[in-house]
C-alpha cells in the first residue's frame, strides 16, 4: 500500500483519470462472470482507499489531493450503498437471463421505454434507448407482459431453463393510428418508475400542438410543460426551473446541439417528422449525462423503416419538408429527412431590385443508417446539417449546426449491454458587410466538439440496473477571425486565439428495488475539465483586472477543474395508482454562452471555465406526488423543487461580448437560487386529451457589481405560468386542437429618471429587474381534416391553424422615446411581434 | 439621415440588424408605464477642447423619466478646470442657470491632463460637496479634404467622403460631426458618430464614406453653394465608452441582441464620500480638426 501512496503522488491528473478508466474497464471485464461482484468491490474499494490515502498526504483543500480527500468522504457512503444494494443479496438460486429487443412491428423502430414485467407482479424492466431489455430470473415458468403506450400488449409464457433471447414486435393499437396519445410512456410508468422531473412527449402529440406559421416544433411543445418557459415571444430558447437558456443540454442522437434555433429563434432546428423520442429531464438528470446545470433535452431520431419504403412530408406557408425511410437490404434501414423555407423564392418576384438580390432561408437535413450485424452488434450512423442564410446588398450572415454520430451497440452478454459512440458537433457563423471598398469586412466564429462515449448497462438481477461509463469531449473554439476584405480595405485581418479544452466524465449509477414498493436510484458522476494551452499568454484576473500572466507550452494542460456530481432518488409506490418520490442532483457546467440577452442570438459564442471562471454548480432538491386516476386515464402530479446555484455567471453593465477576445474581463460571478411548485393534470387518450399545468416559481441572482451587489430577479422569474393543451376528435375526419398559455410578465428594468447629454435624454434606471412587463397570454387553435379514407396507403390531411387567436399584443420589448415635436417629453412604446398568424399546411404519409 | 461610419468589427453584426428589425418594429403601440421617480441625481456634463473658445460645463438636477420640463440648472457652484500649469475658472452664464463657461480665449493642448473641480450644495443642507473628474487630451486627427459621391449602395443617398490621417499613436477614438452652412447636422446623441482604430490597418483615411445623406429627405438635400464642414475629434477611450453606453440606453434593449439596461457610468467622483448624493454625467477633453468645402 505504501507503494500505492508513493505512486499516486507521482501521477499527473490525467494519469489518475486513466487509472479511473482502467477501473471501469476492469469492472466490465468482471461483470459477465458469475461471482464477479466481489472483484468489482475489491477494485472500487481499492480506488476509494487511493483517494483517502491521497487526502492524508496533504491538508490543502484546493489542490488535487484536497479534492481527493473530499471525494473520498463522498465516495465512502456511495460505496457502502452500492455494496449493500448490489452485492449483498442473499444466496440465490441459479438465474437465467431473458433479453432481446422490443420493436414496432410495422416499421421495425426500436421502442424506447417499453415495459417488460412478470405478469401479476411489479418485477420487471424497461427497454433502453435502443429497445434492448434484459431480465434475470430464477429458473422457472413465467408469463411476461410486454407493453408500450399506444400498442397492443403482448403476454408470452416462458419456461426459463437457460439464457434466452426473445425479440418482441408490438403491434400498434388500430385506434392509435388516428388517436393522439399525449404521453410517450406506458400508463402507470410515471407512478412506478424511479425517476421524477422528467417529461416525455410523443411525436404525435407534438404534431397536434398548434404551431407558429404551421411549423410543428418540438421546443415550442416543450415550452408548454410545467417548469419550462419560453425565453421570449416566439423564441426557441427555453428556461427550465429558473435556469438560463444556455444551461440546457440539447442532444440530438447523443451529439450536442449548440444553437437549436432557426430564423433568430423563431423555429427550432428539429424536424418533427424525423423524431422518434423526446425526453426532457428538468432535474433528475441521470449520471450518464452532465455538462449543463438545468436540464437535458434528449432527442432521438427514427432509425428508418426496415419493413418497407415510406415517406412523410408536408407543404406549408413558409417551408416544405420530406422524410423518406427504407429498408437497405435485409439487415439495414435508413432515413433521410429535409426541410427548407422558401421566402427567398417569393423575393425573386419582387419588382424591387434590392429585394430580388436578398436571400432569406434556412434548411436542415437529417440522415441516419442503422445496420444490424448480428444479434449482438449493431451500428448507427446519423447526421444533422442545418443552415440559415440572410443577406441583402449591404450585409449578410449565415450560421448553422452540423452533428455526426457513429454508434456501436454491443451486447457483451444477456446482462451487459454497451454502446460506444463517436461524436462530432460543429457550429459556426459568418457575417459580412458590403458598404464600401475601404470598409467591407467579414467575421466568422466556429466551435468544434469531438467526443467519445462508452456506456455500459448491467442488469445482474431483476432488482438492480447498473449503468457506468466514460465520456470525453474535446472542444476547439475559434472565438472570431476576419477583418477587412479587398486590397483597398482600411481594416486589418485579425484572428482571436483559438481555445482548446477537454471534458472527461466517469459515472456509475444504479437503480434498485429495495422492496416491492420502494425503489432507490443513486449515481455518481466525476467530471473534470482541462484547459489546454494555445501557446499564448494566459491572464490571471483578480478583482476582474489582470493580476499577472503566464505562458504555457502549446498543448499543455494548464488548468484542471473537477467535480463530483452525486445524483439520488427514491420512489415509494403507495399503490399502483399513486407514489411519492424525492430526488437530489448536483450538476456542473464548464462551458457557457457569452450572451447577456434573455434569449440569445446566433452570434453568441461559448466560453470555457478557466483559471478565472469556476464551473457553475447547481444542487437541486425535489419531492413529488404522482397520482393516476380512472384506470390510468388521467395522470396528476405535484412537484416541489429548490435549486441552489453557485459560481453563477453574469456580465457587467454594458458588457461588450460580440467580437471581444477578452470576454473574461466582462464577467461577474455570484450565486442564485430558484424554487417552484409544478402541478400537472394530463389526460393521455380518448377523444378529448391534453393537459393542464400550473407552475408557481421564483428565481433570484446575487452577483458582484450588479444591482449594487443586491439580490435581483433573474430574467426567468415568472411567478405564475399556466398552460392548457387540448385535442378533441370531432369525428374520424376532423380533429381540433387548442392551447392557451399565461405567464407573469418578464422582469424588466425600467427608467425612473433621466438626464440630458448632447440634446438627448439618457435614462436612469430602477434596480435590476425591479418591474415586470404586462402578463403574457395567448390562445392558439388548429383544425386537422383527414382527406384520405382509412386503410389507404397514401394518407393526407390539411391543417389550418391560427396563432394568437384573439390577437393579444404581448410586448416583445418596450422602448422609451422622446416626442419628435416635444423633445422634453418621453413616452413608452411596446414592440409586439405577432397578432393573428393564420397558416395552412398539407401533410402526407405513404 | 446618416449612418455610422464604422466602429470596429463587432459593428458588422449591426449591419444586418436593420433587415431584421425592419420586419419586427413595424408592430408598435404606445403603452402606459408607471414608474416611481428615482431620487434626483447631480448631473455634471462638459468638456474642454483644443479649439479657442468658451468651454462649458453644465450642472443640472436629474428628473423623473416622464417629466415634461427641461432639466433644472444648479446655480452658485464653484467650477474650475486646471492643469499642472494653469487654472481656468468657469463663470455661470447670466442667461442660463447651471451653465458654467471659461473665457473665450481658452484652449486645451494635446497630451495635457485636465482636472475638473466642482463645489456646490446640491442637497441644500448648508454644506458644500466637492466633485472631481480627470481627462487627458488625446492626439488630433488631420483632415486633408472632403468630397461627395452618389452612394453605390442606394440611389437615394449621397456620401460625404473624407481624406486625412489618424493620429500616429495607437488606441485612437474618433468622433465625427457634419455641418451644413455652419449648422450642425448630427447634434443629437443618436447622431454622434464614433470609431476607433483598434482593427485599422492604416493610419491614412483615404476617401472613407463618413456620412450618408438621404436626398429624399428635405433637411438632408445638399444644394449647390452649401458650405459643408466635417469635424473629426480625437476623444478618449473613456468618453467613447460613455457615449456608446448612452447611445445603447437611448436605443433601448430587446431580448435577442441586448443586455439588460443599466445606468451609464460616470467619471465624476465625489470628494465627499460621506454624502449619499448620486452623480451622473461626464467630463472630457478632446482635440478637434475640421475641413470646409463648398458643395457643387
Amino acid at each position: 500500500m505504501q507503494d500505492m501512496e508513493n505512486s499516486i503522488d507521482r501521477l499527473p491528473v490525467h494519469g489518475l483519470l486513466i487509472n479511473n478508466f482502467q477501473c471501469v474497464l476492469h469492472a466490465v471485464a468482471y461483470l459477465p462472470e458469475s461471482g464477479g461482484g466481489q472483484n468489482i468491490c475489491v477494485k472500487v474499494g481499492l480506488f476509494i482507499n487511493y483517494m483517502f490515502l491521497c487526502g492524508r498526504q496533504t491538508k490543502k483543500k484546493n489542490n488535487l489531493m484536497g479534492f481527493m480527500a473530499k471525494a473520498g468522504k463522498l465516495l465512502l457512503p456511495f460505496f457502502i450503498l452500492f455494496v449493500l444494494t448490489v452485492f449483498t443479496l442473499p444466496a440465490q438460486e441459479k438465474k437465467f437471463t431473458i433479453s432481446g429487443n422490443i420493436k414496432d412491428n410495422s416499421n421495425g423502430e426500436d421502442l424506447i421505454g417499453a415495459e417488460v414485467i412478470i405478469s401479476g407482479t411489479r418485477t420487471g424492466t424497461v427497454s433502453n434507448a435502443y429497445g434492448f431489455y434484459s431480465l434475470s430470473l430464477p429458473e422457472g415458468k413465467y408469463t411476461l407482459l410486454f407493453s408500450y403506450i399506444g400498442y397492443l400488449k403482448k403476454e408470452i409464457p416462458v419456461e426459463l431453463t437457460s439464457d434466452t433471447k426473445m425479440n418482441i414486435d408490438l403491434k400498434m393499437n388500430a385506434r392509435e393510428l388516428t388517436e393522439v396519445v399525449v404521453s410517450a410512456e406506458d400508463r402507470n410508468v410515471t407512478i412506478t418508475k424511479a425517476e421524477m422531473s422528467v417529461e416525455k412527449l410523443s411525436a404525435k402529440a407534438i404534431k397536434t400542438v398548434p404551431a407558429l406559421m404551421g411549423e410543428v416544433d418540438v421546443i415550442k411543445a416543450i415550452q408548454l410543460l410545467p417548469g419550462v418557459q419560453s425565453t421570449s415571444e416566439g423564441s426557441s430558447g427555453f428556461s427550465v426551473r429558473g435556469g438560463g437558456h444556455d444551461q440546457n443540454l440539447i442532444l440530438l442522437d447523443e451529439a450536442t446541439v449548440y444553437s437549436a434555433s432557426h430564423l433568430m429563434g423563431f423555429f427550432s432546428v428539429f424536424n418533427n417528422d424525423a423524431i422518434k423520442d423526446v425526453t426532457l429531464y428538468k432535474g433528475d438528470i441521470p449520471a450518464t449525462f452532465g455538462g449543463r446545470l438545468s436540464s437535458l433535452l434528449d432527442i432521438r431520431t427514427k432509425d428508418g423503416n426496415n419493413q418497407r419504403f415510406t415517406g412523410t412530408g408536408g407543404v406549408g406557408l413558409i417551408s416544405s419538408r420530406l422524410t423518406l425511410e427504407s429498408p437497405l437490404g435485409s439487415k439495414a434501414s435508413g432515413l433521410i429527412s429535409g426541410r427548407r423555407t422558401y421566402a427567398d423564392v417569393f423575393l425573386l418576384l419582387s419588382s424591387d431590385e434590392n429585394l430580388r438580390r436578398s436571400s432569406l432561408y434556412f434548411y436542415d437535413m437529417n440522415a441516419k443508417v442503422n445496420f444490424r450485424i448480428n444479434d449482438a452488434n449493431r451500428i448507427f450512423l446519423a447526421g444533422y446539417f442545418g443552415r440559415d442564410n440572410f443577406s441583402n446588398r449591404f450585409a449578410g450572415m449565415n450560421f448553422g449546426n452540423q452533428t455526426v454520430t457513429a454508434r456501436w451497440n454491443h451486447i457483451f452478454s444477456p446482462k451487459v449491454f454497451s454502446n460506444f459512440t463517436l461524436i462530432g458537433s460543429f457550429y459556426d457563423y459568418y457575417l459580412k458587410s458590403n458598404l464600401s471598398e475601404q470598409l467591407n469586412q467579414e467575421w466568422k466564429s466556429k466551435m468544434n466538439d469531438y467526443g467519445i462515449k462508452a456506456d455500459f448497462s448491467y442488469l445482474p438481477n431483476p432488482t438492480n440496473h447498473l449503468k457506468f461509463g466514460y465520456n470525453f469531449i474535446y472542444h476547439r473554439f475559434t472565438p472570431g477571425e476576419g477583418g477587412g476584405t479587398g486590397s483597398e480595405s482600411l481594416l486589418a485581418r485579425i484572428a482571436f486565439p483559438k481555445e482548446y479544452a477537454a471534458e472527461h466524465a466517469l459515472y456509475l449509477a444504479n437503480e434498485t428495488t429495495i422492496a416491492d414498493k420502494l425503489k432507490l436510484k443513486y449515481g455518481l458522476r466525476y467530471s473534470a475539465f482541462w484547459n489546454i494551452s494555445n501557446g499564448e499568454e494566459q491572464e490571471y484576473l483578480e478583482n476582474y483586472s489582470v493580476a499577472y500572466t503566464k505562458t504555457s507550452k502549446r498543448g499543455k494542460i494548464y488548468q484542471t477543474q473537477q467535480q463530483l456530481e452525486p445524483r439520488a432518488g427514491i420512489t415509494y409506490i403507495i399503490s399502483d395508482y399513486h407514489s411519492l418520490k424525492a430526488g437530489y442532483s448536483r450538476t456542473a457546467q464548464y462551458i457557457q454562452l457569452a450572451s447577456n440577452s434573455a434569449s440569445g442570438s446566433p452570434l453568441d459564442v461559448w466560453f470555457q471555465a478557466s483559471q478565472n471562471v469556476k464551473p457553475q454548480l447547481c444542487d437541486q432538491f425535489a419531492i413529488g406526488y404522482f397520482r393516476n386516476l380512472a384506470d390510468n386515464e388521467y395522470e396528476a402530479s405535484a412537484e416541489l423543487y429548490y435549486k441552489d446555484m453557485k459560481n453563477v455567471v453574469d456580465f457587467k453593465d454594458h458588457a461588450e461580448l460580440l467580437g471581444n477576445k477578452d470576454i473574461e474581463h466582462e464577467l461577474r460571478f455570484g450565486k442564485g437560487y430558484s424554487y417552484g411548485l409544478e402541478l400537472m393534470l394530463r389526460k393521455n387518450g380518448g377523444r378529448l386529451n391534453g393537459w393542464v399545468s400550473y407552475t408557481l416559481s421564483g428565481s433570484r441572482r446575487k452577483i458582484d457589481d450588479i444591482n449594487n451587489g443586491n439580490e435581483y430577479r433573474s430574467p426567468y422569474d415568472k411567478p405564475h405560468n399556466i398552460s392548457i393543451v387540448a385535442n378533441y376528435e370531432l369525428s374520424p375526419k376532423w380533429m381540433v386542437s387548442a392551447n392557451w398559455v399565461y405567464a407573469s410578465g418578464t422582469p424588466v428594468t425600467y427608467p425612473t429618471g433621466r438626464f440630458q447629454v448632447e440634446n438627448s435624454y439618457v435614462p436612469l434606471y430602477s434596480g435590476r429587474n425591479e418591474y415586470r412587463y404586462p402578463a403574457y397570454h395567448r390562445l392558439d387553435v388548429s383544425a386537422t381534416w383527414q382527406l384520405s379514407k382509412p386503410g389507404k396507403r397514401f394518407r393526407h390531411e390539411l391543417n389550418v391553424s391560427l396563432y394568437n387567436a384573439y390577437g393579444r399584443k404581448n410586448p416583445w420589448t418596450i422602448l422609451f422615446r422622446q416626442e419628435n415635436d416635444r423633445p422634453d417629453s418621453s413616452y413608452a412604446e411596446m414592440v409586439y411581434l405577432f397578432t393573428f398568424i393564420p397558416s395552412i399546411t398539407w401533410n402526407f404519409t405513404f | 439621415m446618416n449612418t455610422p461610419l464604422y466602429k470596429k468589427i463587432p459593428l458588422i453584426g449591426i449591419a444586418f440588424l436593420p433587415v431584421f428589425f425592419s420586419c419586427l418594429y413595424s408592430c408598435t403601440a404606445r403603452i402606459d408605464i408607471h414608474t416611481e421617480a428615482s431620487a434626483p441625481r447631480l448631473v455634471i456634463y462638459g468638456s474642454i477642447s483644443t479649439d479657442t473658445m468658451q468651454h462649458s460645463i453644465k450642472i443640472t438636477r436629474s428628473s423623473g423619466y416622464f417629466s415634461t420640463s427641461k432639466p433644472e440648472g444648479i446655480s452658485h457652484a464653484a467650477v474650475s478646470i486646471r492643469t499642472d500649469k494653469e487654472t481656468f475658472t468657469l463663470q455661470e452664464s447670466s442667461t442660463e442657470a447651471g451653465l458654467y463657461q471659461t473665457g473665450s480665449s481658452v484652449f486645451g493642448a494635446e497630451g495635457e491632463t485636465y482636472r475638473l473641480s466642482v463645489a456646490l450644495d446640491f442637497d441644500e443642507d448648508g454644506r458644500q460637496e466637492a466633485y472631481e473628474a480627470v481627462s487627458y487630451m488625446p492626439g488630433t486627427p488631420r483632415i486633408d479634404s472632403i468630397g461627395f459621391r452618389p452612394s453605390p449602395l442606394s440611389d437615394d443617398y449621397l456620401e460625404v467622403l473624407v481624406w486625412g490621417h489618424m493620429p500616429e499613436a495607437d488606441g485612437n477614438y474618433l468622433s465625427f460631426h457634419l455641418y451644413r452652412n455652419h449648422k450642425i447636422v448630427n447634434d443629437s446623441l443618436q447622431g454622434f458618430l464614433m470609431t476607433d482604430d483598434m482593427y485599422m490597418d492604416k493610419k491614412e483615411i483615404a476617401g472613407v464614406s463618413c456620412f450618408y445623406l438621404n436626398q429624399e429627405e428635405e433637411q438632408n438635400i445638399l444644394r449647390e453653394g452649401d458650405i459643408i464642414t466635417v469635424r473629426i475629434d480625437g476623444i478618449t477611450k473613456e468618453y467613447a465608452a460613455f457615449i456608446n453606453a448612452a447611445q445603447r440606453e437611448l436605443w433601448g434593449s430587446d431580448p435577442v441582441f441586448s443586455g439588460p439596461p443599466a445606468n451609464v457610468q460616470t467619471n465624476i467622483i465625489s470628494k465627499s464620500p460621506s454624502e449619499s448624493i448620486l452623480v451622473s454625467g461626464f467630463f472630457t477633453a478632446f482635440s478637434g480638426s475640421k475641413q470646409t468645402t463648398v458643395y457643387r
Side-chain angles (χ1 to χ4, degrees):
Chain A
M1 190 54 76
Q2 185 60 42
D3 287 345
M4 286 180 195
E5 289 180 37
N6 292 337
S7 65
I8 199 127
D9 267 349
R10 293 194 298 270
L11 270 177
V13 179
H14 59 276
L16 204 62
L17 285 170
I18 290 166
N19 192 281
N20 291 356
F21 192 42
Q22 284 171 342
C23 239
V24 172
L25 292 177
H26 280 136
V28 177
Y30 282 118
L31 284 176
E33 296 176 12
S34 176
Q38 284 180 344
N39 291 311
I40 296 165
C41 290
V42 169
K43 283 284 171 189
V44 176
L46 201 60
F47 178 60
I48 293 170
N49 269 340
Y50 260 17
M51 292 191 134
F52 270 122
L53 290 168
C54 291
R56 287 199 201 107
Q57 297 281 314
T58 177
K59 297 293 179 193
K60 292 177 186 172
K61 293 284 180 189
N62 292 327
N63 61 14
L64 173 66
M65 297 299 127
F67 171 80
M68 297 284 275
K70 281 164 71 178
K73 284 178 190 168
L74 188 61
L75 278 176
L76 187 62
F78 177 79
F79 177 63
I80 292 169
L81 190 63
F82 187 79
V83 171
L84 284 175
T85 53
V86 181
F87 299 112
T88 57
L89 295 171
Q92 293 172 4
E93 54 212 296
K94 188 167 176 59
K95 286 183 180 168
F96 296 106
T97 302
I98 182 164
S99 64
N101 280 74
I102 306 175
K103 294 182 198 169
D104 179 326
N105 83 326
S106 67
N107 54 24
E109 285 286 339
D110 297 322
L111 296 177
I112 301 171
E115 199 173 22
V116 187
I117 57 168
I118 301 167
S119 205
T121 74
R122 288 200 186 98
T123 302
T125 187
V126 290
S127 58
N128 69 12
Y130 301 91
F132 178 79
Y133 76 96
S134 171
L135 198 55
S136 293
L137 299 165
E139 184 174 356
K141 290 182 179 176
Y142 302 93
T143 300
L144 296 182
L145 180 63
F146 296 85
S147 63
Y148 190 69
I149 193 158
Y151 288 73
L152 295 173
K153 290 180 180 176
K154 205 174 229 183
E155 270 191 326
I156 299 179
V158 176
E159 184 167 358
L160 207 56
T161 55
S162 62
D163 286 346
T164 304
K165 182 88 184 169
M166 185 185 286
N167 291 331
I168 301 295
D169 288 336
L170 293 182
K171 188 177 178 185
M172 194 179 273
N173 188 334
R175 178 158 172 72
E176 306 292 352
L177 289 171
T178 53
E179 184 181 294
V180 173
V181 180
V182 175
S183 172
E185 287 194 309
D186 212 344
R187 297 233 161 164
N188 73 341
V189 165
T190 51
I191 302 294
T192 58
K193 203 168 181 182
E195 68 178 17
M196 62 183 299
S197 309
V198 177
E199 305 284 355
K200 296 194 177 203
L201 280 180
S202 65
K204 211 167 187 177
I206 293 166
K207 195 179 161 191
T208 60
V209 173
L212 175 63
M213 297 183 195
E215 288 297 305
V216 174
D217 197 321
V218 171
I219 290 183
K220 300 288 170 54
I222 293 271
Q223 290 169 352
L224 298 169
L225 295 167
V228 186
Q229 51 182 279
S230 164
T231 50
S232 70
E233 163 93 85
S235 170
S236 295
F238 61 100
S239 161
V240 177
R241 292 185 168 175
H245 60 91
D246 67 339
Q247 294 176 350
N248 308 310
L249 178 62
I250 301 175
L251 297 179
L252 180 65
D253 285 329
E254 303 198 40
T256 305
V257 176
Y258 279 98
S259 177
S261 64
H262 284 305
L263 205 63
M264 300 295 159
F266 293 119
F267 304 101
S268 85
V269 298
F270 305 110
N271 180 348
N272 198 53
D273 289 344
I275 291 172
K276 176 163 71 174
D277 187 76
V278 177
T279 308
L280 176 71
Y281 297 85
K282 298 184 292 186
D284 193 10
I285 299 175
T288 318
F289 299 100
R292 297 293 185 279
L293 231 51
S294 284
S295 78
L296 161 67
L297 179 61
D298 189 12
I299 297 174
R300 307 263 169 172
T301 57
K302 291 175 182 171
D303 298 329
N305 195 318
N306 69 5
Q307 306 291 308
R308 66 181 178 91
F309 177 73
T310 59
T312 310
V315 179
L317 284 184
I318 65 161
S319 79
S320 287
R321 57 189 205 282
L322 179 65
T323 301
L324 299 173
E325 300 176 56
S326 174
L328 303 170
S330 60
K331 289 189 169 183
S333 64
L335 168 146
I336 186 159
S337 179
R339 177 171 61 151
R340 192 193 189 279
T341 58
Y342 29 63
D344 52 329
V345 176
F346 295 112
L347 293 180
L348 291 175
L349 304 175
S350 170
S351 57
D352 184 330
E353 192 194 340
N354 286 339
L355 278 178
R356 280 202 307 277
R357 289 172 60 179
S358 300
S359 77
L360 173 68
Y361 66 87
F362 69 78
Y363 68 84
D364 48 42
M365 191 181 88
N366 295 80
K368 191 170 181 181
V369 173
N370 82 92
F371 179 59
R372 188 179 293 276
I373 301 166
N374 53 40
D375 277 350
N377 293 285
R378 196 171 171 194
I379 288 172
F380 299 83
L381 301 172
Y384 166 84
F385 313 92
R387 198 138 202 98
D388 284 56
N389 200 323
F390 315 120
S391 69
N392 59 19
R393 56 191 299 193
F394 308 115
M397 74 177 292
N398 63 69
F399 57 90
N401 291 282
Q402 299 90 42
T403 68
V404 287
T405 51
R407 282 172 285 175
W408 170 39
N409 284 180
H410 176 66
I411 298 169
F412 280 96
S413 80
K415 292 180 181 179
V416 183
F417 177 90
S418 66
N419 180 56
F420 302 91
T421 312
L422 293 174
I423 301 165
S425 177
F426 315 100
Y427 178 75
D428 70 281
Y429 71 75
Y430 174 80
L431 301 168
K432 65 172 181 180
S433 72
N434 189 27
L435 295 172
S436 71
E437 294 294 324
Q438 294 94 350
L439 301 177
N440 286 348
Q441 49 188 320
E442 63 179 4
W443 189 248
K444 58 188 174 185
S445 173
K446 62 183 173 182
M447 55 188 302
N448 296 352
D449 273 11
Y450 305 91
I452 301 170
K453 287 179 76 181
D455 300 304
F456 301 90
S457 175
Y458 174 47
L459 297 107
N461 50 52
T463 57
N464 284 285
H465 185 172
L466 276 84
K467 290 178 182 175
F468 53 95
Y470 172 73
N471 305 164
F472 170 81
I473 303 172
Y474 174 69
H475 301 287
R476 191 177 72 191
F477 295 174
T478 305
E481 58 188 35
T485 56
S487 57
E488 291 183 40
S489 180
L490 287 175
L491 304 171
R493 299 290 298 179
I494 52 168
F496 294 162
K498 289 186 170 61
E499 294 167 4
Y500 307 94
E503 275 185 78
H504 301 261
L506 277 166
Y507 68 89
L508 175 62
N510 186 31
E511 190 177 318
T512 183
T513 304
I514 295 174
D516 190 38
K517 292 189 169 186
L518 195 61
K519 290 184 177 178
L520 185 63
K521 193 175 76 164
Y522 56 91
L524 190 65
R525 182 179 177 87
Y526 164 76
S527 59
F529 190 84
W530 294 347
N531 293 99
I532 302 168
S533 174
N534 54 12
E536 305 271 336
E537 200 172 62
Q538 290 113 31
E539 292 180 338
Y540 288 74
L541 308 182
E542 282 174 15
N543 295 323
Y544 308 113
S545 298
V546 179
Y548 60 97
T549 59
K550 276 187 189 174
T551 305
S552 305
K553 194 178 164 191
R554 185 180 165 86
K556 186 184 174 190
I557 297 156
Y558 67 90
Q559 175 76 23
T560 299
Q561 306 201 59
Q562 51 204 328
Q563 287 295 326
L564 282 177
E565 304 173 37
R567 320 274 167 91
I570 189 163
T571 299
Y572 178 66
I573 303 166
I574 301 166
S575 78
D576 283 345
Y577 296 102
H578 56 148
S579 60
L580 279 170
K581 300 182 185 186
Y584 162 76
S585 66
R586 165 168 276 212
T587 44
Q589 179 162 345
Y590 295 95
I591 62 169
Q592 39 260 314
L593 202 55
S595 165
N596 61 353
S597 69
S599 35
S601 86
L603 310 183
D604 299 331
V605 295
W606 291 74
F607 64 96
Q608 306 163 353
S610 69
Q611 68 277 15
N612 303 311
V613 184
K614 291 180 184 169
Q616 296 185 76
L617 299 175
C618 176
D619 291 294
Q620 180 168 175
F621 305 86
I623 55 170
Y625 174 68
F626 298 81
R627 178 86 163 99
N628 281 10
L629 305 158
D631 194 23
N632 295 317
E633 190 71 26
Y634 294 88
E635 288 176 4
S637 64
E639 289 193 38
L640 266 172
Y641 68 87
Y642 178 81
K643 290 166 75 168
D644 181 47
M645 291 169 274
K646 297 182 182 72
N647 309 328
V648 174
V649 175
D650 209 328
F651 300 88
K652 72 177 191 186
D653 292 342
H654 302 117
E656 286 280 2
L657 301 179
L658 185 63
N660 183 353
K661 73 180 173 64
D662 297 319
I663 276 178
E664 289 187 352
H665 295 215
E666 312 289 281
L667 304 180
R668 296 295 181 268
F669 306 102
K671 56 189 180 181
Y673 63 91
S674 57
Y675 53 88
L677 168 68
E678 295 168 0
L679 304 175
M680 171 87 147
L681 177 65
R682 178 151 73 177
K683 184 169 184 290
N684 276 323
R687 288 181 70 184
L688 175 67
N689 57 66
W691 69 86
V692 179
S693 73
Y694 169 71
T695 307
L696 174 68
S697 64
S699 178
R700 304 282 190 277
R701 302 280 186 273
K702 192 171 189 299
I703 308 277
D704 292 351
D705 290 352
I706 295 178
N707 203 36
N708 298 318
N710 298 318
E711 185 178 294
Y712 60 93
R713 294 172 180 147
S714 91
Y716 313 105
D717 178 280
K718 298 179 187 174
H720 304 285
N721 211 312
I722 301 170
S723 296
I724 301 172
V725 178
N727 305 301
Y728 184 66
E729 187 186 329
L730 286 171
S731 72
K733 276 191 171 296
W734 280 96
M735 158 87 76
V736 289
S737 302
N739 60 260
W740 183 74
V741 291
Y742 172 92
S744 304
T746 304
V748 63
T749 309
Y750 276 152
T752 53
R754 65 179 191 177
F755 65 98
Q756 200 173 37
V757 169
E758 303 289 330
N759 299 317
S760 304
Y761 285 105
V762 178
L764 291 164
Y765 290 104
S766 66
R768 170 77 69 97
N769 292 340
E770 199 173 305
Y771 291 87
R772 286 186 186 282
Y773 281 161
Y776 180 97
H777 53 95
R778 193 190 78 232
L779 173 72
D780 309 325
V781 293
S782 73
T784 305
W785 179 28
Q786 292 292 336
L787 299 168
S788 50
K789 290 181 180 170
K792 294 278 185 189
R793 176 162 177 182
F794 183 83
R795 295 196 304 277
H796 60 136
E797 65 185 27
L798 206 59
N799 178 277
V800 180
S801 67
L802 184 59
Y803 183 89
N804 198 2
Y806 54 78
R808 161 81 175 174
K809 292 174 181 171
N810 288 301
W812 182 66
T813 186
I814 292 177
L815 303 172
F816 295 87
R817 300 284 183 242
Q818 285 173 241
E819 298 279 9
N820 284 333
D821 53 344
R822 288 174 289 129
D824 293 320
S825 295
S826 302
Y827 64 93
E829 186 177 68
M830 163 179 72
V831 178
Y832 57 95
L833 299 186
F834 311 113
T835 47
F836 317 94
I837 304 274
S839 61
I840 184 164
T841 311
W842 176 64
N843 299 312
F844 60 86
T845 58
F846 60 84
Chain B
M1 186 268 297
N2 42 41
T3 53
L5 168 67
Y6 53 86
K7 288 185 182 175
K8 53 180 182 174
I9 292 291
L11 263 196
I12 194 170
I14 307 302
F16 79 93
L17 293 187
V19 181
F20 178 61
F21 285 107
S22 62
C23 304
L24 301 181
Y25 278 54
S26 52
C27 301
T28 58
R30 291 201 177 198
I31 184 171
D32 285 333
I33 299 289
H34 300 285
T35 59
E36 210 168 294
S38 51
R41 286 175 173 239
L42 171 65
V43 180
I44 301 173
Y45 184 70
S47 60
I48 182 166
S49 73
T50 48
D51 293 346
T52 305
M53 56 179 280
Q54 277 191 308
H55 304 276
S56 309
I57 300 292
K58 201 165 182 180
I59 304 178
T60 55
R61 188 184 301 272
S62 72
S63 56
Y65 187 76
F66 293 104
S67 163
T68 53
S69 54
K70 287 192 180 300
E72 176 197 341
I74 298 179
S75 297
H76 312 304
V79 183
S80 66
I81 298 172
R82 68 177 194 278
T83 67
D84 291 341
K85 300 168 200 157
E86 54 189 336
T87 299
F88 310 114
T89 303
L90 285 78
Q91 302 296 328
E92 187 172 6
S93 161
S94 56
T95 54
E96 186 178 344
L99 179 66
Y100 297 83
Q101 295 172 307
T102 64
S104 56
S105 59
V106 171
F107 60 90
E110 198 178 308
E112 196 67 76
T113 297
Y114 293 87
R115 193 174 298 272
L116 169 73
S117 297
V118 174
L120 78 174
D121 182 10
F122 179 74
D123 55 3
E124 297 173 349
D125 64 352
R127 288 180 302 173
Q128 292 261 305
E129 304 96 33
Y131 301 90
E132 200 168 90
V134 177
S135 178
Y136 73 93
M137 183 74 78
T140 314
R142 191 184 78 219
I143 309 177
D144 295 333
S145 60
I146 54 180
F148 308 90
R149 71 170 182 189
S151 175
L153 299 175
S154 169
D155 296 341
D156 299 339
Y157 282 80
L158 187 70
E159 293 181 5
V160 181
L161 311 173
V162 172
W163 284 261
H165 211 271
M166 305 275 277
E168 282 306 321
D170 287 333
N172 296 296
Y173 289 81
L174 307 179
S175 71
F176 297 74
H177 288 90
L178 179 72
Y179 298 77
R180 187 175 61 170
N181 299 326
H182 310 295
K183 190 179 171 197
I184 188 165
V185 175
N186 56 329
D187 66 340
S188 66
L189 192 54
Q190 294 99 319
F192 202 109
L193 302 187
M194 291 187 304
T195 187
D196 62 55
D197 63 357
M198 192 184 297
Y199 299 102
M200 295 193 71
D201 218 7
K202 301 166 186 168
K203 291 292 180 187
E204 188 186 2
I205 304 169
V208 172
S209 310
C210 290
F211 296 92
Y212 295 78
L213 300 175
N214 188 342
Q215 297 303 290
E216 295 290 302
E217 294 173 357
E218 176 60 29
Q219 71 273 23
N220 291 319
I221 296 173
L222 294 193
R223 295 186 172 84
E224 274 202 27
D226 279 352
I227 299 166
I228 303 299
T229 302
V230 172
R231 178 190 174 104
I232 305 182
D233 298 319
I235 58 175
T236 64
K237 180 182 178 182
E238 293 74 23
Y239 185 56
F242 171 82
I243 292 292
N244 193 27
Q247 285 179 326
R248 277 202 221 179
E249 296 311 331
L250 214 60
W251 171 244
S253 61
D254 67 80
V256 178
F257 294 103
S258 315
N263 287 329
V264 178
Q265 297 292 306
T266 180
N267 68 340
I268 314 284
I269 297 165
S270 171
K271 302 302 282 184
S272 318
S274 58
E275 297 288 346
S276 57
I277 298 163
L278 296 170
V279 195
S280 289
F282 210 86
F283 167 70
T284 192
F286 64 87
S287 58
S289 163
K290 64 171 85 167
Q291 188 61 255
T292 298
T293 192
V294 177
Y295 178 70
R296 303 202 183 282

